[in-house]
Amino acid sequence: MMQRKMRGRGVAASWYGIARTATIDRAGAWAELDDGGTGKIVTGVTEIGEGILTVLAQIAAEELGVRPEDITIGDNDTARSPEAAHAGATRQTYMIGNSVALACRDARTKLDAEIAKVWGVETETIRAFNGEIWSEGSNLRMSMEEAVDLCKKRGIVPVGSGAFTAHGTGLDPVNGTGSPWQAYVFGCQVAEVEVDTVTGEVQVLGIWAAHDVGRAINPRGVEGQIEGGVVQGLGQALMEDYQLDKGHTKTHGFAKYILPTSLDIPQINTTIIEDRDPKSPLGAKGIGEPALVPTAPAIMNAIYDAVGVRIKSLPATPEKILAALAERAMRTKGVAA
Amino acid sequence: MSDLELEMHINGRAVKRRAAPHLRLLDFLRDDLNMTGTKEGCGAGECGTCSVFVDGKLVKSCLMPVGKANGARIETIEGLAPKGGDLTEVQRAFHKTGASQCGYCIPGMVMAATSALRENPDAGIEEIKERLGGNICRCTGYTKIFEAVEIARDVIAGRLSAAALEPDPAGNSFIGNNVRRLDAPSKVSGRLRYAGDMVMPDMLHMQVLRSPHPHARIRVIDVSAAHALPGVACVITAADVPGEDGFGVFVHDQPIMARGIVRYVGEAVAAVAAEDVLTAKEALRLIKVEYDELPAVFDPEDAMKIGAPVLHDYAPTNITKHIPIRKGDVEQGFAEADLIVEDYYETQQVEHAYLEPEAGLAYVDHDDVVTVISPSQNITHHRHMLAKIIDKPINKVRFIMSPVGGGFGGKEDMIYQGMLALAAMKSGRPVRLVYTREESIISTAKRHPARITYKMGLKNDGRITAVEFKMISDGGAYGMSTEGVMRKAAILACGPYDIPNVKIDTIGVYTNNTPSGAFRTFGAMQAQFATESHLDICAEKLGLDPFEIRRRNMMQDGAITHTQQTLGKVSIGTVLDAAETASHWEAGAPGRGESRSDLGGEGTRAPCTLGARFAPAVAKVKKEVA
Ligand code: FES
Ligand code: FES
């Protein structure tokens, strides 16, 4: 006799391409070192929840030498900002992040040149961080606020622009040959489940998620993307099912279309791997979409490990698990007889 | 019906107002008082985004008729922290842990968390989870929310210093630092306005008439009665489109409203802009559409059969896109194999279920620029398409991307923005459209379902010699992102493995079902689900540990992919090692279940029995009463 509650583990690996597929991807941004030692960034996308505005502010702060809270982002407007194309394809950090970095470097070049002239030092010695600017190897130092003011008094507004390109190529229509992306990420997740053999319910108790993101600009944000992706993967694995009957929706509300809630959430243990991208200034790749690729197969493999039934048709509802268990019982009985 | 005379205390202020009796408390707060921190995610009591306190009790305001709240003390998200003052501990903890992503669920979530800690300041994590059980979050996976509530609980109780709510120190770089989300304060306080929260003076409200048939020819649309209804500013149909009517990501096969033919249930047929939503709804009932039903097809394999109903003239076989990938010689690869495993996998259609239903606001500005504000994930492309559709130069079309309350790919398609633009042009006034949850579910794109046949050949040592992979996907009535989804699915189908011989085909097919479109992973999830399941089956047959079979096949630095791209450095080996180490994985073939020694370790949570978490507290109360 089988125990009522059975546990098991499964693993699945995954890979993913960063930015738009099998084509050239591009994005642009403008930057300005503004009064008060603040920074202004303009680019054509906004937040879809992934934390891109914070990531861009961190990148801009780092590159401009100010603090993230000093950054103002003018975003999201086709009539007021340069093209950044779409918010998807795990391209935000890679495409917009690198554009912003390049735009900021351009603005800094102009500021640094003026400050170097004032100080009579080589431009290459100028450094800035956290609202301060200084010349390496000297005690020449001032606040970014003063530096911007000085630069403007000399007649220069420190503005810059940046554009970043990712070179994907199209696929051959006959044999599919091509180089669709210049950056790839890899992931692996382990799931531990408990299957109730009486009700057919599956609880996911733990997920260990290891993902290469290139470089984590904001590790907590990366974790958030992984946790959200895992739970969407769990939803698809176990409960979500949009159903139609002759074209008519049968699941037109959240009472019928079941989503994961707080009670369904496994402990999610994230390991961030940083294998930097050599083809971009920041070295970051991305995580938005890849996070959910391995979750469902890891869970299905864990269910098999636990109770010896393999669900090949998602979602693994309690009904499907019970039917598969019953079929398995019949089979083993058949073999015994 | 005459208006109700209402008096209540809202966030400590006395409010005296007249209101229409059909209003829900949610409408009263949002529309009459312009307090839009309280959100509508479903309108049916199922998501919790509308949570407020009524006389101290957490209530879903979408379920409460406003008359019921008469005389009550109401507290909303806007009232938690004093204006201009500090955020509460719960709000600050959400800020600290990164518990808000798109933020649309967050006001409701903050209210539920506040309620949990008011009800039981010592609530354990299990009780917290149970008390948040009525609030859905689609973005965060809840984990950072749990962390936030526990921190807030401990700070409030004085067990943890308030310093725990402060940001991490910067160190010597802002990159790699857990800088707190800059948008979080606006989200945890309900201040951030999404498109459906925005209003403009003189704004009209739009409602959409949708097809009741999966496939039908439209004989006539008569809008005269609707147009004559007082309060209606304009009615629009495909006949009002001045330019080239068609949008889509790869083929522009979808008119902004049905043009002569409807191809799925829920497709837009006409739209009304009126002074208020009720009038617009009434006008919809006055639009007369006569349909001739056409034979429909609901199964992608049926749709490819000869004689099946054809959806679009340009695609007589109903195939939207077929992507082939060929490398090496699979027949030879199978001949060299010691083991050949064949199987079949299916994945379902999935709803994005972003908590923010589609919404938008359009107007024509003083320079004749047609402007659309909406949570569009692709304003650049939408601008191009809309310019053609309304026949305007591109600088006379402006798209503004409002904060997106969850997208996941579902807001990449230009499903309703065209209707808004058209109505703004025709009426000369701002027009707003806010979908209901039901409308969002029935009419917008889903994750492509997939049917996958798989054949893999392997040597006894686990090395894969060949894979033949075929995926058929129902793309529904319009092309949308199907081509791209098929392409990405094909490229990534066989996983990060070095396989000398592959034959991959992915085929997207038109049917009269709800369209499938872009959805986080863009086909990669469906395809790799099959590969990763299949590898496990093979591992068991060969008596191999699942990590081991993956390692024996994984791509190495300089690998040549299935599309014959030469890679540089490849991190899959590092990633496999990291997952194996972190999970303390015990090696062995699949199917060992309970005999494993690595179960129930520190990376797992305790299993739960529903309702069991409250039991100790309830038992305690009972004892005290006795
Ligand atoms: S529960 Fe009220 S809007 Fe969803
Ligand atoms: S943050 Fe919860 S739904 Fe987006």
Side-chain angles (χ1 to χ4, degrees):
Chain A
M1 254 294 279
M2 221 185 213
Q3 257 169 265
R4 170 162 180 182
K5 299 204 172 162
M6 306 281 283
R7 289 203 188 184
R9 283 180 154 206
V11 59
S14 61
W15 67 328
Y16 209 76
I18 299 298
R20 293 171 63 193
T21 306
T23 183
I24 287 187
D25 198 356
R26 77 275 169 173
W30 297 329
E32 179 183 352
L33 266 156
D34 205 351
D35 292 343
T38 62
K40 196 193 294 168
I41 300 297
V42 188
T43 183
V45 291
T46 194
E47 188 70 42
I48 61 169
E50 77 283 59
I52 187 63
L53 296 184
T54 308
V55 163
L56 295 182
Q58 287 178 255
I59 293 167
E62 186 78 8
E63 297 287 347
L64 293 175
V66 301
R67 301 169 307 164
E69 57 267 39
D70 298 327
I71 302 292
T72 300
I73 298 180
D75 49 342
N76 75 22
D77 186 336
T78 57
R80 305 287 183 272
S81 50
E83 167 173 340
H86 79 293
T90 311
R91 66 188 287 285
Q92 300 277 75
T93 300
Y94 195 64
M95 299 304 304
I96 327 297
N98 282 312
S99 309
V100 165
L102 293 171
C104 291
R105 286 178 193 182
D106 191 22
R108 266 291 299 286
T109 310
K110 294 171 192 166
L111 179 96
D112 290 5
E114 293 307 310
I115 301 304
K117 274 184 228 158
V118 172
W119 280 338
V121 298
E122 293 295 318
T123 310
E124 291 66 45
T125 67
I126 305 286
R127 301 280 178 280
F129 179 64
N130 204 18
E132 299 256 293
I133 185 164
W134 66 93
S135 166
E136 194 89 311
S138 78
N139 52 12
L140 297 164
R141 177 180 285 267
M142 66 173 94
S143 72
M144 196 49 102
E145 179 172 2
E146 291 168 296
V148 171
D149 190 47
L150 202 58
C151 187
K152 287 195 174 177
K153 286 202 172 108
R154 293 171 61 86
I156 303 292
V157 179
V159 290
S161 67
F164 183 70
T165 314
H167 299 273
T169 66
L171 303 188
D172 180 275
V174 177
N175 64 16
T177 309
S179 300
W181 301 287
Q182 67 180 35
Y184 285 80
V185 290
F186 300 85
C188 178
Q189 292 180 10
V190 171
E192 183 167 325
V193 301
E194 181 176 280
V195 184
D196 184 327
T197 56
V198 174
T199 64
E201 279 167 306
V202 177
Q203 291 191 53
V204 184
L205 303 178
I207 294 278
W208 292 263
H211 288 271
D212 170 23
V213 303
R215 184 181 180 196
I217 308 290
N218 188 317
R220 198 164 254 286
V222 171
E223 282 171 20
Q225 286 301 296
I226 291 174
E227 289 155 5
V230 162
V231 171
Q232 285 191 352
L234 180 151
Q236 175 151 18
L238 299 178
M239 58 193 88
E240 294 182 40
D241 198 1
Y242 178 76
Q243 290 179 343
L244 290 162
D245 178 20
K246 297 212 177 324
H248 293 264
T249 310
K250 295 199 294 178
T251 47
H252 36 65
F254 294 151
K256 294 252 171 69
Y257 187 87
I258 310 299
L259 293 161
T261 68
S262 55
L263 300 171
D264 301 304
I265 307 310
Q267 182 168 330
I268 300 169
N269 312 279
T270 296
T271 309
I272 298 174
I273 309 290
E274 299 185 276
D275 178 36
R276 294 211 183 172
D277 175 53
K279 297 198 168 121
S280 56
L282 289 169
K285 291 187 275 196
I287 188 60
E289 296 171 279
L292 82 67
V293 177
T295 311
I299 292 172
M300 294 310 119
N301 291 344
I303 293 172
Y304 180 81
D305 192 52
V307 292
V309 302
R310 181 158 295 279
I311 305 299
K312 298 170 194 165
S313 161
L314 297 182
T317 56
E319 297 74 32
K320 276 190 205 162
I321 301 263
L322 288 181
L325 282 169
E327 197 217 330
R328 181 170 182 268
M330 289 284 285
R331 242 187 7 242
T332 33
K333 240 195 357 246
V335 171
Chain B
M1 263 191 290
S2 60
D3 280 357
L4 295 171
E5 187 86 55
L6 297 171
E7 275 184 55
M8 43 185 115
H9 267 80
I10 301 181
N11 298 333
R13 306 273 308 171
V15 173
K16 205 170 160 192
R17 281 264 187 161
R18 300 182 74 82
H22 71 268
L23 294 188
R24 305 164 298 173
L25 176 57
L26 175 64
D27 306 316
F28 181 66
L29 293 169
R30 288 178 53 83
D31 301 336
D32 289 19
L33 303 180
N34 198 21
M35 294 172 62
T36 54
T38 306
K39 307 293 179 199
E40 176 161 3
C42 71
E46 289 149 6
C47 75
T49 57
C50 63
S51 303
V52 299
F53 287 105
V54 176
D55 288 330
K57 278 239 134 343
L58 190 71
V59 160
K60 289 176 172 159
S61 63
C62 70
L63 294 180
M64 182 175 262
V66 66
K68 268 239 161 119
N70 198 10
R73 218 163 21 85
I74 314 281
E75 202 180 348
T76 71
I77 186 76
E78 290 93 344
L80 282 191
K83 281 228 161 46
D86 268 352
L87 298 172
T88 65
E89 288 86 353
V90 171
Q91 290 170 316
R92 292 171 67 200
F94 270 60
H95 186 192
K96 167 73 193 226
T97 66
S100 63
Q101 287 190 15
C102 83
Y104 202 81
C105 72
I106 292 298
M109 203 59 93
V110 166
M111 296 305 274
T114 304
S115 167
L117 296 182
R118 282 184 188 170
E119 299 272 330
N120 182 3
D122 292 320
I125 184 62
E126 297 303 307
E127 182 175 341
I128 289 169
K129 288 182 183 176
E130 190 108 13
R131 289 191 186 275
L132 298 180
N135 290 64
I136 295 171
C137 174
R138 188 53 156 169
C139 301
T140 63
Y142 302 90
T143 305
K144 302 268 182 272
I145 294 174
F146 300 154
E147 189 188 346
V149 183
E150 287 196 284
I151 291 177
R153 173 197 63 202
D154 292 347
V155 170
I156 294 168
R159 277 189 296 270
L160 195 64
S161 142
L165 302 173
E166 296 301 320
D168 293 356
N172 56 9
S173 173
F174 294 112
I175 292 187
N177 185 263
N178 289 323
V179 169
R180 294 181 305 173
R181 290 181 63 118
L182 304 174
D183 56 347
S186 74
K187 289 175 173 170
V188 300
S189 63
R191 289 197 306 256
L192 183 67
R193 286 191 185 248
Y194 299 82
D197 302 330
M198 294 177 185
V199 288
M200 286 184 83
D202 206 28
M203 178 179 92
L204 297 166
H205 297 264
M206 175 175 274
Q207 290 288 299
V208 181
L209 184 71
R210 298 186 177 280
S211 167
H213 303 296
H215 203 189
R217 195 174 301 285
I218 299 173
R219 210 172 332 121
V220 282
I221 307 183
D222 178 0
V223 302
S224 53
H227 192 249
L229 186 72
V232 169
C234 71
V235 184
I236 53 167
T237 66
D240 293 294
V241 175
E244 246 174 76
D245 191 5
F247 69 90
V249 179
F250 296 90
V251 319
H252 293 180
D253 60 352
Q254 186 164 7
I256 64 174
M257 283 169 286
R259 178 169 292 272
I261 290 182
V262 290
R263 296 184 175 88
Y264 74 99
V265 176
E267 180 169 0
V269 173
V272 173
E275 298 296 337
D276 55 62
V277 172
L278 274 189
T279 308
K281 277 192 183 149
E282 203 184 325
L284 291 189
R285 283 191 288 273
L286 299 175
I287 299 176
K288 285 191 215 78
V289 189
E290 288 174 32
Y291 295 100
D292 290 325
E293 283 191 59
L294 295 169
V297 60
F298 303 110
D299 182 287
E301 284 167 86
D302 289 346
M304 286 190 286
K305 288 183 185 146
I306 292 169
V310 172
L311 271 90
H312 298 273
D313 292 341
Y314 92 92
T317 55
N318 286 324
I319 291 178
T320 319
K321 192 70 188 179
H322 168 203
I323 304 284
I325 293 177
R326 306 283 182 266
K327 179 185 165 195
D329 177 350
V330 279
E331 289 318 319
Q332 193 187 326
F334 288 128
E336 286 165 9
D338 297 319
L339 172 71
I340 290 180
V341 180
E342 295 185 62
D343 224 313
Y344 176 73
Y345 302 90
E346 280 179 351
T347 66
Q348 74 277 40
Q349 235 180 340
V350 176
E351 159 64 22
H352 298 83
Y354 25 72
L355 268 277
E356 177 208 23
E358 289 73 3
L361 178 55
Y363 59 93
V364 183
D365 80 4
H366 46 266
D367 287 325
D368 283 326
V369 177
V370 178
T371 306
V372 183
I373 306 174
S374 69
S376 151
Q377 286 181 257
N378 197 345
I379 51 176
T380 307
H381 187 220
H382 290 186
R383 177 174 76 151
H384 280 282
M385 292 190 293
L386 187 61
K388 282 224 172 76
I389 291 169
I390 61 176
D391 195 22
K392 291 245 184 204
I394 209 143
N395 67 336
K396 291 291 175 191
V397 177
R398 178 182 181 195
F399 267 87
I400 298 175
M401 181 177 175
S402 55
V404 182
F408 318 117
K411 292 171 181 168
E412 279 183 30
D413 298 296
M414 201 184 72
I415 299 184
Y416 55 96
Q417 287 88 347
M419 292 188 284
L420 277 169
L422 219 52
M425 289 162 67
K426 197 166 175 183
S427 67
R429 290 169 63 181
V431 184
R432 190 178 81 181
L433 169 63
V434 181
Y435 276 28
T436 62
R437 174 56 55 188
E438 179 171 349
E439 211 174 4
S440 172
I441 292 182
I442 67 163
S443 70
T444 66
K446 304 288 169 275
R447 182 189 293 291
H448 285 78
R451 295 175 184 174
I452 297 166
T453 40
Y454 216 109
K455 182 176 177 187
M456 184 180 270
L458 306 95
K459 300 298 262 184
N460 280 328
D461 66 1
R463 287 285 311 173
I464 304 167
T465 58
V467 169
E468 193 170 330
F469 174 105
K470 183 174 179 188
M471 167 167 142
I472 294 172
S473 256
D474 181 354
Y478 290 101
M480 296 194 149
S481 295
T482 293
E483 175 175 336
V485 169
M486 291 308 107
R487 188 175 295 114
K488 201 164 203 165
I491 297 167
L492 297 170
C494 292
Y497 307 110
D498 194 351
I499 305 170
N501 309 293
V502 296
K503 177 170 186 277
I504 300 165
D505 292 279
T506 56
I507 301 168
V509 186
Y510 284 119
T511 68
N512 294 104
N513 289 327
T514 320
S516 305
F519 196 152
R520 196 174 188 176
T521 84
F522 223 59
M525 178 273 154
Q526 295 92 314
Q528 293 185 62
F529 160 68
T531 295
E532 294 298 314
S533 297
H534 205 80
L535 266 181
D536 231 50
I537 294 173
C538 297
E540 193 195 7
K541 289 193 192 292
L542 295 169
L544 282 174
D545 174 68
F547 272 100
E548 191 50 37
I549 195 167
R550 287 172 174 82
R551 274 200 192 95
R552 288 190 187 173
N553 289 291
M554 69 189 179
M555 291 176 178
Q556 309 281 351
D557 292 352
I560 297 182
T561 66
H562 316 303
T563 64
Q564 304 187 49
Q565 175 178 1
T566 306
L567 299 182
K569 198 152 164 279
V570 173
S571 64
I572 180 68
T574 318
V575 166
L576 289 176
D577 291 350
E580 189 178 35
T581 309
S583 64
H584 301 286
W585 178 270
E586 179 197 273
R592 295 170 292 143
E594 291 282 314
S595 70
R596 310 177 69 109
S597 66
D598 54 2
L599 299 170
E602 55 180 18
T604 58
R605 68 163 164 94
C608 63
T609 318
L610 264 186
R613 295 181 173 90
F614 281 148
V618 172
K620 207 170 105 207
V621 170
K622 280 213 183 107
K623 236 192 254 153
E624 277 164 13
V625 171

